[in-house]
Amino acid sequence: MNSDSDEELVAAMEESITKFTAARNTPSNDFQCPHCEDKVYKRKKHLQDHIRSKHSGRTFPCKKCGREFNHCGHKNRHERSCKATTQQKQIEKRKNERKGDSSKKKLKSSSTADNTVTNEMPYSPVAGPSHHITNAEKELAAESPTQSPVAGHLQESEASTSKKINSHKSRPHVEKVYHCRRCPFTCSDKKQLYLHRMREHFQRGGSIHTRPWNDETEAPWHREDGSVDERLRDVYTANEPIILQNHDIGPVQSTYNFPIDNTLSVDQLMQQANAIYLDQQHSFRLNMSFGVILQNRVTGEYRYFTAYTNHVTFESPLFISKRSDLRQLELRLKRMDILAELLHTRPDTTWVPVLLCNVEYYITSTYYTIGAGSLPDYIINMRSITSLVTDYKGKPYKDQLCLLRCLALHNGYKVDNLKQPTDIYYEQWLNFNKSTKRFSGVALEEFPKFEECYKVNLEAYTITEEGYAFSVYKSRGRYESSMYVNLYQNHASYINNFATYAQKFQCQMCQRLFNRSNKLRVHQKTCTKQKLLNTLAAFIKLSYPFSIN
């Protein structure tokens, strides 16, 4: 009985194994390469990878040694361990050392020959590696080559110099080619590449301002004789997305942009300042900068220099708290004679201003102190935020120490045990500032001091009800630990899980949205406008308060 049951069990197992093997080896589950007879894959993706790497004809060369690969992954893995650059440097170093040794041997041989001819000098000054040949020695060598100890050295140096010049002339001169990173466009001029990027790839969300003139015939590139300065028009049109960009309003820092032309007056600037004053609801600090097109006196080339915060009109921003403060702004503009200063042609530079394009006003709200406050429901209900509106017993906080409580949570303290560390941090802050004034919270402009005091990187964001996060303050990353806080009006909440904090992160420069914060950080390094602002003084240094673009 047992033997029969064992035989049946073995037969059933063999039958199941046979069926499984037959089903696995059926042709319907195999993907065969149409070019190779012996290449069969179980998955379609593997067949596609094989065709792309073996039969597409595309290769991926290594940037260091030039070795070509059929797959980009193989190329990337090779580049991480490629030592071609290091080996090339070592080879060049050895060649230079050999050249130095050979030159020393030639100098010694020439000095020995001179000593045997003259029999007067036991030591030749040419043999010394630090000897400097004077003009008198050169004249003596020219008059009597056989009697001068430096004649052989001069002849050898002249011969080597002429040999280098001839070899340089014989080499084919290849023009440098600039490639666009977003399309196959190539050019031989950096300026053409910049104009191409501005025309084809510069992106900016939202609407833009209109040009400051009503009729096209009033444009500055229309001359009095009826001709058109096409180069000036092309430069203005290429940089139009920056010149006519709209205002960038933020909770703390805002930028107001107004297009202008050479008919600008102080009254027009004051009208713009009044419009900003009406738009702001609290006191603020104001500074301004101008964008201008300059022309080269020699070549006639035009370039646009954008307005930038590092080249502002006033050394320190003006504090505006009431309308009468605008009178001080008007007096300072008239006293500086700002229009004459902008269009003044300096004799010590080849670039002269020809057209005023736009003016930017930089506004910083000074009321923005971080302290106690109320929060909307969408922030309180977020799991990634510890609101810190009330204590663990439900009693609301009435002080301005919420940022210090965020620091306590960041350092590992629990919500029900924040009083003692907060008091310690409060005393540390008072001792660091050495201020006798009444504590009213940490202002946004004091965030760098806060980082220095507590040795921590502070990253501040604000989030909308739709889940879009905006960066309010970005740390310089000087310390190992980083603390993330959410700002809403005058209240700071602790972000306990930054990975799930926001659905989208928006770039403040170009308004693009990203679903992860690390993608936003990578984008900020290559942002188009950020690059434009970072190229100030790339071609020429000017004494005007403008940045190059």
Side-chain angles (χ1 to χ4, degrees):
M1 186 72 179
N2 294 335
S3 61
D4 295 338
S5 60
D6 293 341
E7 291 177 358
E8 293 177 357
L9 181 60
V10 171
M13 292 177 63
E14 291 178 352
E15 183 179 0
S16 62
I17 292 173
T18 304
K19 290 182 180 180
F20 175 77
T21 306
R24 186 173 183 179
N25 296 329
T26 52
S28 59
N29 293 337
D30 295 340
F31 298 92
Q32 185 173 2
C33 176
H35 306 282
C36 306
E37 296 180 356
D38 57 340
K39 294 296 183 180
V40 181
Y41 298 92
K42 296 296 182 181
R43 295 187 179 182
K44 187 177 181 180
K45 182 179 182 301
H46 296 167
L47 175 61
Q48 293 174 350
D49 292 342
H50 165 73
I51 294 175
R52 184 171 62 251
S53 60
K54 298 297 182 181
H55 305 293
S56 64
R58 184 180 179 184
T59 58
F60 301 89
C62 175
K63 296 179 181 179
K64 298 180 180 179
C65 65
R67 181 181 175 185
E68 296 183 349
F69 297 87
N70 294 329
H71 198 279
C72 62
H74 299 165
K75 186 264 295 185
N76 295 335
R77 183 166 61 252
H78 164 76
E79 282 185 346
R80 285 193 289 269
S81 59
C82 182
K83 300 180 180 180
T85 305
T86 306
Q87 293 176 357
Q88 186 176 3
K89 290 182 178 179
Q90 293 177 355
I91 293 172
E92 291 179 355
K93 184 177 180 181
R94 292 172 184 173
K95 287 183 178 179
N96 295 332
E97 291 177 353
R98 291 174 183 174
K99 289 181 180 179
D101 295 340
S102 62
S103 62
K104 289 180 181 179
K105 291 179 181 179
K106 290 180 180 178
L107 292 176
K108 289 182 179 179
S109 61
S110 62
S111 63
T112 305
D114 292 336
N115 286 333
T116 56
V117 172
T118 56
N119 294 323
E120 295 178 359
M121 299 176 62
Y123 169 73
S124 174
V126 181
S130 61
H131 176 72
H132 176 70
I133 302 175
T134 62
N135 294 330
E137 291 174 339
K138 291 181 180 180
E139 293 177 357
L140 179 61
E143 293 177 357
S144 55
T146 58
Q147 298 180 3
S148 174
V150 300
H153 173 67
L154 290 176
Q155 293 176 0
E156 290 179 1
S157 62
E158 290 176 359
S160 61
T161 303
S162 61
K163 185 177 180 181
K164 291 179 180 178
I165 294 175
N166 295 331
S167 63
H168 171 73
K169 290 180 179 180
S170 62
R171 295 174 187 171
H173 291 274
V174 181
E175 293 185 358
K176 188 173 183 179
V177 180
Y178 298 92
H179 300 268
C180 178
R181 296 184 178 180
R182 301 189 180 183
C183 70
F185 177 81
T186 59
C187 61
S188 59
D189 188 6
K190 240 179 184 180
K191 179 182 177 182
Q192 295 298 328
L193 178 62
Y194 167 74
L195 295 177
H196 164 76
R197 289 176 177 175
M198 292 299 299
R199 293 192 187 103
E200 303 296 336
H201 305 300
F202 189 84
Q203 299 177 0
R204 181 170 297 281
S207 60
I208 60 176
H209 293 290
T210 59
R211 291 180 175 179
W213 46 83
N214 299 326
D215 190 1
E216 183 63 23
T217 58
E218 300 177 359
W221 45 81
H222 286 276
R223 301 189 181 99
E224 296 180 357
D225 56 357
S227 60
V228 178
D229 192 344
E230 295 182 357
R231 291 188 299 177
L232 178 60
R233 180 181 61 186
D234 293 342
V235 172
Y236 188 94
T237 305
N239 295 277
E240 212 167 29
I242 300 177
I243 297 173
L244 303 181
Q245 63 180 326
N246 211 336
H247 308 314
D248 185 12
I249 310 300
V252 180
Q253 296 179 342
S254 303
T255 302
Y256 291 83
N257 180 68
F258 295 95
I260 57 176
D261 56 9
N262 288 350
T263 61
L264 179 68
S265 62
V266 176
D267 294 336
Q268 186 177 351
L269 293 176
M270 292 309 302
Q271 291 177 5
Q272 298 168 358
N274 275 291
I276 297 173
Y277 178 82
L278 295 176
D279 190 54
Q280 294 290 319
Q281 299 179 355
H282 300 274
S283 60
F284 57 90
R285 295 186 181 276
L286 178 145
N287 215 328
M288 56 199 304
S289 181
F290 292 85
V292 67
I293 292 180
L294 302 181
Q295 184 182 22
N296 193 304
R297 296 183 182 182
V298 181
T299 63
E301 179 188 1
Y302 291 101
R303 284 179 182 172
Y304 172 69
F305 290 78
T306 184
Y308 191 45
T309 53
N310 283 1
H311 294 271
V312 290
T313 304
F314 308 117
E315 294 183 0
S316 59
L318 303 180
F319 180 75
I320 308 296
S321 61
K322 50 186 179 298
R323 186 176 292 274
S324 59
D325 294 335
L326 296 177
R327 177 63 179 169
Q328 300 296 328
L329 173 62
E330 182 179 5
L331 293 176
R332 291 189 66 173
L333 291 175
K334 291 182 178 179
R335 191 182 305 114
M336 293 175 59
D337 198 2
I338 186 65
L339 302 181
E341 181 68 20
L342 292 175
L343 298 176
H344 174 62
T345 301
R346 291 175 171 81
D348 57 345
T349 179
T350 57
W351 292 89
V352 295
V354 294
L355 178 62
L356 298 176
C357 298
N358 63 312
V359 55
E360 288 188 357
Y361 296 85
Y362 307 110
I363 306 300
T364 304
S365 299
T366 56
Y367 76 96
Y368 207 97
T369 56
I370 310 304
S374 58
L375 297 178
D377 294 336
Y378 76 89
I379 294 181
I380 296 177
N381 297 331
M382 291 181 65
R383 295 183 177 180
S384 59
I385 292 180
T386 305
S387 59
L388 296 176
V389 177
T390 60
D391 58 8
Y392 70 101
K393 294 182 179 179
K395 186 178 179 180
Y397 292 113
K398 296 182 179 180
D399 52 20
Q400 289 81 25
L401 304 178
C402 57
L403 192 61
L404 302 181
R405 294 189 181 92
C406 292
L407 181 62
L409 290 175
H410 175 71
N411 290 334
Y413 292 93
K414 296 183 179 180
V415 180
D416 56 352
N417 189 23
L418 296 179
K419 180 174 176 52
Q420 183 177 359
T422 303
D423 293 340
I424 296 175
Y425 296 149
Y426 174 69
E427 294 295 334
Q428 185 178 351
W429 176 257
L430 294 181
N431 295 332
F432 180 80
N433 284 334
K434 298 179 181 180
S435 175
T436 58
K437 296 182 180 180
R438 182 180 178 182
F439 181 76
S440 58
V442 182
L444 183 67
E445 57 189 15
E446 295 178 328
F447 277 13
K449 293 183 179 180
F450 183 89
E451 293 180 314
E452 183 180 358
C453 178
Y454 299 106
K455 308 299 180 184
V456 63
N457 301 323
L458 180 59
E459 301 281 352
Y461 292 84
T462 181
I463 192 169
T464 63
E465 192 171 359
E466 292 79 11
Y468 296 162
F470 303 89
S471 176
V472 177
Y473 176 81
K474 183 176 180 59
S475 175
R476 296 183 179 179
R478 296 179 176 177
Y479 309 102
E480 297 181 357
S481 179
S482 297
M483 181 178 70
Y484 298 91
V485 298
N486 177 78
L487 301 183
Y488 179 81
Q489 293 182 357
N490 60 337
H491 183 75
S493 304
Y494 181 66
I495 302 176
N496 53 55
N497 189 353
F498 189 74
T500 61
Y501 167 64
Q503 298 178 2
K504 298 288 183 181
F505 295 86
Q506 188 172 27
C507 175
Q508 293 290 338
M509 306 299 294
C510 64
Q511 312 303 323
R512 286 185 60 184
L513 296 174
F514 301 88
N515 57 353
R516 293 183 179 180
S517 60
N518 58 344
K519 292 184 178 180
L520 174 61
R521 296 192 191 98
V522 174
H523 164 76
Q524 287 176 343
K525 296 178 182 179
T526 58
C527 182
T528 305
K529 184 175 180 182
Q530 188 66 36
K531 278 190 173 182
L532 296 177
L533 298 180
N534 290 339
T535 55
L536 66 124
F539 300 101
I540 188 173
K541 293 183 179 180
L542 298 174
S543 56
Y544 299 97
F546 314 116
S547 63
I548 190 170
N549 197 349

